[in-house]
Amino acid sequence: MSSQASLASKVLPRLSATARHLSSHIRRSSSSSARRHLSSSSVASDKTYFPQSIPTIQQHGQAPLKHQHQQYQKHTTSLNPYKSIAIRREGKNRWERRAALTPEAVEKLIKETGIKVYVQPSTKRIFSDDKYRAAGAIVQEDLSPADIILGIKEVPIKDLLPGKTYVYFSHTHKGQEYNMPMLQDVLDKNIRLIDYELMANERKQRLVLFGKHAGYAGMIDGVHGLGQRLLGLGYSSPFLHVGMAHNYKSLASAKLALQSLGNTIADEGTPKEFGPMIFTFTGSGNVSQGAQAVFKSLPHEFVDPKDLAKIATSKNARLDRIYAAEVNIQDHIRHKTKNEFTTAEEYFAHPEQFTSVFHKEIAPYSSMVINGAYWDHRYPRLMTTEQLKTVQSDPANKFRMLSIADISCDINGSFEFMSHATSIEDPFFYVDAVNGREHKDTEAIGVQIMSVDILPSELPLESSQHFSESLYPFIKELIRDNHDHPVLAGATIADSGSLKPAHKGLSEVLKNAHAKETLAKLKSSLGTTGETSVGMGIKPKKVLLCGSGFVAGPLVDYLLRDPNVSITIASNSQTEATSLALGKPNTTVVPLDVKDNAKMASLVKDSDIVVSFVPAPFHPIIAEHCIQEKKNMVTASYISPAMKDLDERAQRAGITIMNEIGLDPGIDHLSAMKMIDEVKSEGGKVTSFVSWCGGLPAPEASNVPLSYKFSWSPRGVLTAGLNDAKFRMHNGFHEISGKDLMRKHFPDVPIYPGFNLEGVANRDSLSYAQTYGLGPVEKLDTMFRGTLRYKGYADLMYSFNRLGLLNAENSQQNFSSWSEFMDSVLFGNGSHHDNESRRAAIADRLDLPKNHGSVDKAVDALQWLNLMPTFNNSQVAPFTAKNSPTVLDSFCSLLMQKLKYNPLERDMVILHHEFGVQLKDGSEQTRTSTLVSYGTFETYTAMAKTVGLPAAMATEMLLKGEIPEKGVLAPTMPHVYNTILEKLDREGVSVLEQIVHKGMRPSLRWGGSGVFK
């Protein structure tokens, strides 16, 4: 038998089995016991999902495989009577990342019906193209093969394909004039238009909507805005540390941020000048329910609206919570003559006989109003502009009606003075009714108004999942061409070139809006790109980079991926900066003198953001200029006391100074906070924390003294080993003085068996209990941060210190050879010595016998470094550190020469956290979070990559307005750490999280090797 025939015999039985299974499945699904309704509507369809019978695939034993494949495809086409669907790419707004169907829904639909699903590729959709491919969808630009096209927002005229069925929010059924040209195009192209907004049951309740998600996002944005408003009035508050909803990876992440805010409110209270904070929610529908669900993440107490005045003026009201009231029509609507609320029936029948007293009984006592109530022009407004003027004119209301989160977003509606919808990137404006002006000055008089009209798009993941689940049953009816289904029929605006009877009234609107003429003009203005001929300019973003060291390369390359970014590289090394900028567009090199105030001020003023990669002592100088010029700033260094002192001034200037966003500190914070917040969200708590980090040579490049190499100045590494350390371990507090740090190292750090690691304690670990929100440090078993090295490093570095090589006192450094330099260190005179006397001096300094193994190691290292001749009469290496101010600086110069990376050698970064966790049920668990990253000198070192990329990503977030918090900060907020960790993962810098059977913490000891006394 030929191979082709053999293959056919293997394929055909599978096809037959598939057909039998499919036939069986269809018969089961069409039985009376399996019938299901597709809608929450009480009007049921008497049709089933699948036909009663299907054609049978015939086998043709010896037919050529190609012929059989064609036959199978033909039968498949006849097998599937369903319409195909497509998911279009959203383009109306850059924030629109939602999708009508999730990849999970697509996969389910394909499995249940076998239809083809086309997905238009998108780089910003919340679900990646790859996820849709994995679900079985066909990802392609052309949607013309599809019968039904799903979207979210209005479809541009240029994208409407004739003869298709479109389903999206068209915003046409109320006669919105701005969309009449689109509706005219729908009619001209014989498109069937179905509007989600009209999908309702027989009780007129909407079935496919984003209402609660608008409430979720609106509440988050409102809290963010309140923090900005209070700051504008001159008050720092806990609300300042909540971002806009889109800053968070998910609703759960946003709620974590609010819970953190709540903890701060419970501990520290709200600003006392504002009295008790009162949030007023209008309405009780989906929008208000969503907003209240998020609000309940804060410490709160709901009260009756009748009690608002009493609480607002009470001297006993508490500041460790937010008071809240849900206000409905009975709480603020009064009959004009009876001066009371009568009945809802009378109100809805004769709304003109009623008025609102919201401005008298609610507004004067509300700190913030969250508006989720439905309104139309027949009903009284919540507040008129004149009523707002009355409220704002009363000095007693100085700190009331601070903010309105108008989630319903009815322009000139329930709040008459709400004049326009705002955008996500510019969400707030202010109304000063007393002076009759609208403005955007956060420090001026006026009520803040948030009126973003696409709030659900800020939570694209959850809103898409909810929407997809609601829509799915109706998609099943659509693909069966069941347009008589009552929900679909009621939501259809146009079909076959005509308006449906319920929407015939739009004919007059089309005529009055001159839709045909406007459509013709729009079509003539479309360019070859499909955009209108009038372009919109984008303001370039200018980055000032201070410093041009090796970690700057990844930052520059990452930021320049955006062609709208330009970078000015300011450096005191023209050669280094020019090399960094070589071949890179949009870069400029300028000299840098941090102490030249006039020049620094000019550089900062001409930038949008400043990245400081200069030595840490210079950061406060640059930060002073950033505060003066109101420019954001990024550094990878620890927050020094001098930087911390600038926090309040930075907040007043309205700028963010993001620090500690490299590797350590940096990625260590990101990965630690992610795990800690996840544990808290599960109802557990972290009872111990151990963190190790180190930059090392890859194992194959570690065959040198110290098993260590330097890619930048060794001075920082050497002096860091002289810092005092304090930490908590095994339920006790411990301190190690700087002079003993290397001697009392941790001789075994068992992260991976393949790495032969030791470690040393890293400065003050205790303060990080507060940084990470772990509670009182004395309640933790362990709070420890340490630095990793290969075994042998600590003893040898301790030896170097005992020998005097780390002496930082000023001294003349003028020698002819390195051995002469070493003799000066050992003997303090210029006389010549032989190796035997040198060995004796070394043993004496180390307080060890001359034949001790550690003396041998020290001598071997000194000889390898050319600090001692191999033999008494062997050639000596010339001294190359002339004019160095100290022994330490001379030694650093030598280490930089001898312990440098050679071509093709790699470095490595290891970061490892271990968390002791107590779960909600009281059981205990150990979790780890580990990063191992390798680099090369042909591209980036691991150290450059893990320092430069996080700093670049924080810079990018600040340029995009994605970090709302102000002041001197570290990256411990969920919307920061989630975003940067995700971006790092895409760059190949990935953190592995695990639950392990047994951690290292119980075995950790810090007594050193026992060699030195």
Side-chain angles (χ1 to χ4, degrees):
M1 182 183 293
S2 70
S3 61
Q4 192 178 52
S6 174
L7 181 57
S9 69
K10 294 175 181 176
V11 171
L12 285 170
R14 293 177 185 172
L15 298 183
S16 178
T18 302
R20 287 196 300 272
H21 173 74
L22 181 58
S23 177
S24 172
H25 177 67
I26 290 173
R27 285 195 297 272
R28 287 196 303 272
S29 297
S30 60
S31 67
S32 59
S33 63
R35 294 184 183 181
R36 294 170 288 176
H37 300 312
L38 288 176
S39 162
S40 56
S41 168
S42 60
V43 182
S45 169
D46 61 356
K47 301 178 182 178
T48 55
Y49 286 154
F50 303 104
Q52 294 292 326
S53 62
I54 61 170
T56 305
I57 299 175
Q58 302 295 322
Q59 292 191 39
H60 304 281
Q62 301 300 316
L65 185 61
K66 179 179 179 183
H67 172 67
Q68 290 168 10
H69 177 70
Q70 290 172 339
Q71 231 177 10
Y72 178 60
Q73 290 285 24
K74 180 178 70 175
H75 281 300
T76 302
T77 302
S78 64
L79 265 174
N80 201 331
Y82 309 120
K83 300 290 185 182
S84 58
I85 66 170
I87 300 171
R88 70 178 300 274
R89 176 178 58 245
E90 298 298 320
K92 181 179 180 181
N93 187 292
R94 71 188 179 95
W95 295 99
E96 189 53 80
R97 299 186 291 150
R98 291 174 289 179
L101 288 180
T102 65
E104 291 78 11
V106 167
E107 182 177 23
K108 181 181 177 184
L109 192 63
I110 292 172
K111 285 181 177 178
E112 290 182 353
T113 67
I115 69 165
K116 288 186 176 180
V117 178
Y118 300 89
V119 176
Q120 208 167 31
S122 173
T123 55
K124 69 174 183 177
R125 190 186 289 121
I126 190 62
F127 308 108
S128 69
D129 295 343
D130 287 340
K131 287 188 177 180
Y132 281 106
R133 287 192 188 95
I138 301 165
V139 178
Q140 63 181 47
E141 189 67 31
D142 181 17
L143 300 185
S144 62
D147 301 300
I148 302 159
I149 300 176
L150 309 177
I152 299 292
K153 304 299 287 184
E154 300 98 315
V155 179
I157 289 167
K158 66 183 178 64
D159 293 337
L160 287 168
L161 300 176
K164 304 295 183 184
T165 294
Y166 276 89
V167 192
Y168 58 91
F169 288 105
S170 71
H171 299 292
T172 58
H173 71 93
K174 293 181 181 178
Q176 293 97 321
E177 284 197 17
Y178 60 89
N179 276 334
M180 288 302 104
M182 178 190 68
L183 181 58
Q184 185 64 56
D185 201 46
V186 165
L187 296 171
D188 292 347
K189 291 177 177 176
N190 293 319
I191 288 169
R192 178 186 286 121
L193 174 60
I194 300 174
D195 197 312
Y196 298 125
E197 194 172 354
L198 300 176
M199 289 184 173
N201 60 22
E202 72 282 359
R203 297 185 299 277
K204 304 299 181 185
Q205 295 171 324
R206 286 180 59 189
L207 302 173
V208 182
L209 70 166
F210 290 109
K212 279 193 176 181
H213 292 82
Y216 298 151
M219 187 71 245
I220 297 164
D221 289 357
V223 171
H224 165 74
L226 182 60
Q228 301 296 313
R229 185 64 183 128
L230 294 179
L231 183 64
L233 294 173
Y235 295 88
S236 179
S237 74
F239 303 108
L240 194 61
H241 302 297
V242 173
M244 293 280 286
H246 68 84
N247 290 146
Y248 301 99
K249 178 183 177 182
S250 64
L251 179 61
S253 297
K255 285 185 174 181
L256 277 176
L258 286 168
Q259 288 166 10
S260 177
L261 161 64
N263 292 336
T264 304
I265 291 173
D267 292 341
E268 302 175 9
T270 55
K272 63 179 184 299
E273 292 82 359
F274 294 83
M277 282 283 178
I278 299 174
F279 286 14
T280 298
F281 296 87
T282 64
S284 57
N286 281 315
V287 171
S288 184
Q289 288 174 29
Q292 290 183 46
V294 168
F295 166 76
K296 288 174 182 175
S297 300
L298 303 176
H300 63 276
E301 181 180 336
F302 273 88
V303 298
D304 192 299
K306 296 193 297 292
D307 296 329
L308 291 182
K310 181 172 64 176
I311 292 169
T313 55
S314 171
K315 297 188 181 302
N316 297 318
R318 300 176 62 169
L319 304 181
D320 61 351
R321 64 192 62 190
I322 307 294
Y323 293 92
E326 181 184 288
V327 173
N328 289 293
I329 54 174
Q330 66 271 21
D331 299 309
H332 70 95
I333 292 296
R334 302 289 181 266
H335 194 280
K336 289 180 179 177
T337 58
K338 299 176 183 177
N339 198 31
E340 63 179 12
F341 181 75
T342 54
T343 65
E345 291 77 13
E346 184 179 2
Y347 172 66
F348 290 123
H350 301 287
E352 73 283 354
Q353 297 179 9
F354 289 80
T355 189
S356 171
V357 293
F358 191 91
H359 66 294
K360 293 180 179 178
E361 299 188 10
I362 307 295
Y365 314 113
S366 300
S367 308
M368 178 179 179
V369 175
I370 301 91
N371 184 28
Y374 174 82
W375 180 87
D376 72 34
H377 66 279
R378 295 172 295 168
Y379 299 100
R381 304 179 194 276
L382 282 169
M383 280 183 74
T384 65
T385 305
E386 192 61 31
Q387 289 169 345
L388 176 64
K389 180 178 179 180
T390 301
V391 172
Q392 291 181 335
S393 298
D394 187 344
N397 300 328
K398 178 183 178 182
F399 291 139
R400 295 293 167 188
M401 279 298 282
L402 299 167
S403 176
I404 299 174
D406 196 348
I407 304 173
S408 294
C409 198
D410 292 310
I411 296 172
N412 300 127
S414 52
F415 290 104
E416 183 183 25
F417 43 87
M418 200 285 276
S419 63
H420 64 279
T422 57
S423 63
I424 291 173
E425 55 265 52
D426 190 13
F428 307 108
F429 68 96
Y430 299 82
V431 175
D432 173 5
V434 175
N435 295 301
R437 76 185 191 106
E438 187 179 291
H439 62 85
K440 291 192 176 183
D441 184 354
T442 57
E443 299 180 4
I445 295 171
V447 59
Q448 179 192 74
I449 296 179
M450 187 283 296
S451 51
V452 174
D453 61 351
I454 54 169
L455 286 168
S457 66
E458 292 196 69
L459 296 170
L461 177 62
E462 289 88 353
S463 61
S464 295
Q465 290 169 337
H466 171 79
F467 191 84
S468 176
E469 184 178 348
S470 302
L471 179 63
Y472 189 83
F474 306 112
I475 296 299
K476 296 285 284 286
E477 293 291 349
L478 272 174
I479 63 175
R480 295 177 57 240
D481 219 11
N482 185 15
H483 294 284
D484 293 331
H485 188 286
V487 172
L488 296 177
T492 303
I493 293 174
D495 191 5
S496 303
S498 300
L499 293 167
K500 299 294 281 185
H503 302 284
K504 287 292 185 182
L506 292 175
S507 296
E508 194 65 24
V509 182
L510 286 164
K511 181 180 177 182
N512 294 337
H514 307 289
K516 281 186 177 289
E517 296 84 350
T518 306
L519 176 62
K521 290 178 182 178
L522 282 171
K523 287 185 173 180
S524 68
S525 71
L526 292 175
T528 56
T529 63
E531 303 296 336
T532 58
S533 56
V534 180
M536 293 198 57
I538 301 174
K539 183 183 176 184
K541 302 165 186 173
K542 299 178 181 179
V543 177
L544 172 62
L545 171 60
C546 297
S548 56
F550 85 111
V551 298
L555 176 134
V556 169
D557 289 341
Y558 182 90
L559 292 176
L560 288 179
R561 293 178 190 175
D562 183 348
N564 198 45
V565 167
S566 64
I567 302 178
T568 297
I569 304 171
S571 174
N572 62 358
S573 173
Q574 189 79 3
T575 302
E576 190 177 66
T578 302
S579 175
L580 177 60
L582 187 64
K584 295 180 174 67
N586 300 336
T587 55
T588 305
V589 173
V590 299
L592 175 67
D593 181 355
V594 174
K595 295 180 180 179
D596 186 335
N597 285 331
K599 184 63 176 176
M600 277 304 307
S602 175
L603 287 171
V604 172
K605 185 176 183 178
D606 195 39
S607 66
D608 294 305
I609 192 168
V610 178
V611 180
S612 181
F613 277 171
V614 298
F618 294 115
H619 293 328
I621 299 174
I622 296 174
E624 288 279 2
H625 291 287
C626 289
I627 291 170
Q628 187 67 32
E629 301 297 337
K630 297 188 176 181
K631 307 291 184 179
N632 293 329
M633 178 178 168
V634 173
T635 86
S637 301
Y638 283 105
I639 299 175
S640 66
M643 288 292 281
K644 194 174 184 64
D645 288 344
L646 299 175
D647 178 51
E648 187 176 342
R649 289 177 54 206
Q651 289 191 46
R652 287 203 303 269
I655 69 165
T656 301
I657 301 178
M658 181 59 73
N659 305 265
E660 304 191 7
I661 187 62
L663 168 65
D664 177 6
I667 301 177
D668 58 343
H669 294 333
L670 309 178
S671 53
M673 286 304 303
K674 180 177 182 292
M675 182 69 78
I676 290 166
D677 283 346
E678 285 177 358
V679 169
K680 289 180 179 178
S681 71
E682 295 166 6
K685 65 179 180 179
V686 172
T687 58
S688 71
F689 177 74
V690 174
S691 177
W692 293 101
C693 187
L696 300 162
E700 72 273 13
S702 64
N703 57 338
V704 293
L706 294 173
S707 298
Y708 193 82
K709 291 193 174 184
F710 298 93
S711 51
W712 55 10
S713 172
R715 202 179 204 278
V717 175
L718 269 57
T719 55
L722 301 175
N723 289 317
D724 296 343
K726 52 185 178 180
F727 55 92
R728 183 172 175 82
M729 190 168 285
H730 309 323
N731 275 317
F733 289 102
H734 308 279
E735 294 190 20
I736 304 175
S737 66
K739 66 182 180 63
D740 290 327
L741 190 66
M742 291 296 157
R743 181 171 68 86
K744 294 184 178 181
H745 65 273
F746 291 71
D748 186 39
V749 183
I751 295 174
Y752 288 123
F755 291 134
N756 195 26
L757 300 172
E758 65 183 22
V760 294
N762 187 359
R763 306 192 191 196
D764 179 10
S765 297
L766 303 179
S767 62
Y768 284 86
Q770 180 179 359
T771 301
Y772 294 158
L774 294 176
V777 69
E778 60 270 13
K779 292 187 178 181
L780 297 173
D781 174 273
T782 296
M783 186 70 212
F784 176 83
R785 299 173 82 247
T787 302
L788 292 171
R789 293 291 183 259
Y790 288 123
K791 286 190 177 181
Y793 175 95
D795 277 349
L796 187 54
M797 189 59 73
Y798 182 73
S799 297
F800 288 160
N801 189 24
R802 290 282 292 264
L803 294 178
L805 287 169
L806 304 189
N807 186 346
E809 295 178 2
N810 287 330
S811 61
Q812 186 73 26
Q813 301 292 297
N814 189 16
F815 306 98
S816 61
S817 68
W818 280 109
S819 62
E820 185 183 348
F821 161 80
M822 190 66 215
D823 286 348
S824 174
V825 171
L826 286 174
F827 301 104
N829 56 52
S831 59
H832 179 73
H833 297 271
D834 59 19
N835 276 359
E836 188 61 30
S837 60
R838 291 172 182 133
R839 173 181 279 273
I842 291 168
D844 183 60
R845 290 280 183 96
L846 300 182
D847 197 19
L848 294 172
K850 283 199 301 183
N851 61 351
H852 195 282
S854 290
V855 174
D856 291 340
K857 289 178 182 178
V859 169
D860 289 345
L862 294 174
Q863 289 179 334
W864 192 93
L865 290 168
N866 293 332
L867 289 170
M868 280 178 61
T870 306
F871 306 104
N872 281 328
N873 296 320
S874 60
Q875 188 174 1
V876 294
F879 183 74
T880 56
K882 287 182 168 45
N883 300 320
S884 292
T886 69
V887 169
L888 173 61
D889 289 297
S890 294
F891 187 46
C892 288
S893 176
L894 177 63
L895 293 179
M896 195 66 200
Q897 295 172 37
K898 298 287 288 183
L899 297 182
K900 65 182 179 181
Y901 285 90
N902 297 314
L904 304 181
E905 288 186 335
R906 303 184 299 167
D907 73 327
M908 174 181 70
V909 160
I910 303 176
L911 171 63
H912 180 82
H913 298 316
E914 182 179 292
F915 307 85
V917 175
Q918 185 180 79
L919 300 177
K920 188 176 182 180
D921 63 4
S923 61
E924 294 186 347
Q925 191 180 75
T926 300
R927 301 185 186 185
T928 61
S929 174
T930 308
L931 164 69
V932 179
S933 181
Y934 293 89
T936 71
F937 273 77
E938 281 67 35
T939 52
Y940 304 129
T941 66
M943 184 62 71
K945 185 168 56 176
T946 53
V947 173
L949 285 178
M953 292 162 181
T955 303
E956 179 183 47
M957 290 182 72
L958 284 166
L959 285 172
K960 291 181 177 180
E962 294 175 351
I963 302 178
E965 293 85 356
K966 308 302 177 187
V968 177
L969 306 174
T972 56
M973 301 78 79
H975 56 283
V976 176
Y977 65 66
N978 278 322
T979 300
I980 295 179
L981 284 173
E982 285 180 7
K983 291 182 177 183
L984 285 170
D985 187 61
R986 292 198 290 269
E987 299 293 327
V989 180
S990 301
V991 176
L992 174 66
E993 296 179 346
Q994 293 179 300
I995 299 174
V996 299
H997 176 66
K998 184 180 180 181
M1000 70 170 73
R1001 176 177 52 85
S1003 64
L1004 287 176
R1005 298 291 182 269
W1006 56 97
S1009 63
V1011 170
F1012 299 102
K1013 297 176 182 178

